[in-house]
Amino acid sequence: RGNGMAEFIAYIILGLTLALPVGPITIEMTRQGLKNGFAHGWSVGLGGMTVDLFLIVLIYFGFSTILSQPEIKVAMWLIGAIFLMVIAIDSIRNADKDIVFGEGNSRKSIRSSYLNGFLVGISPGNILFWVGIFGTVLANSIDSAHSSFLVISSGILMGILLHDVGLLSMVAISRKFMSQLFIKRVSIGAGIVLLGFAAYFGYEFVNGLLGII
């Protein structure tokens, strides 16, 4: 029982570590947290985690090989590029709109923020990250006598959850000392970074398409 708890904590740390690198979801969480408050940033994170949970289920049932097929990857790069471009343009165009400094006063719905997180979560970068980096670890744990698939997957998700809460708590505190102009500039900067990710996904789509042809 003690070994199981130690293993669970180890995978929480792994999930926390894997969530630290800045990616599209982290950028969108921070942007929404600064503009609309903790709840909206948190909703983005939950949207991304919904995709993570779905991918864990797929890996459990052996669908990781399907997600790794070249044709599927190409489709994911294209879809991801389109979604990120839409979100990035919205971030830049509406950088000075709907900035609120009190929780619960935003005109933007929580569901909209959740949907943004979900759309960013199904980007190929996130999916390939799960399947490629530790999808094998999760898959191998199913039949392992020393590891539990449930312990590993729940530990990793808990680590990601702790990262999101910690990040958004810092954002919620720091936004109280920021001006509307500064938040506007952050939103524009976030949009530009997301455009960069969209361009990279588009580049990978073209490369993948040429490889298939």
Side-chain angles (χ1 to χ4, degrees), residues 66-77 205 208-209 212:
I66 296 177
L67 295 175
S68 300
Q69 293 296 318
E71 295 81 5
I72 301 298
K73 286 184 179 180
V74 168
M76 288 192 300
W77 285 121
F205 163 71
L209 190 61
I212 293 176

Side-chain angles (χ1 to χ4, degrees), residues 19-20 66 98 107 135 171 180 183 186 207 212:
L20 286 176
I66 296 177
D98 298 333
R107 286 181 291 175
V171 169
Q180 184 167 340
I183 294 178
V186 170
N207 274 350
I212 293 176

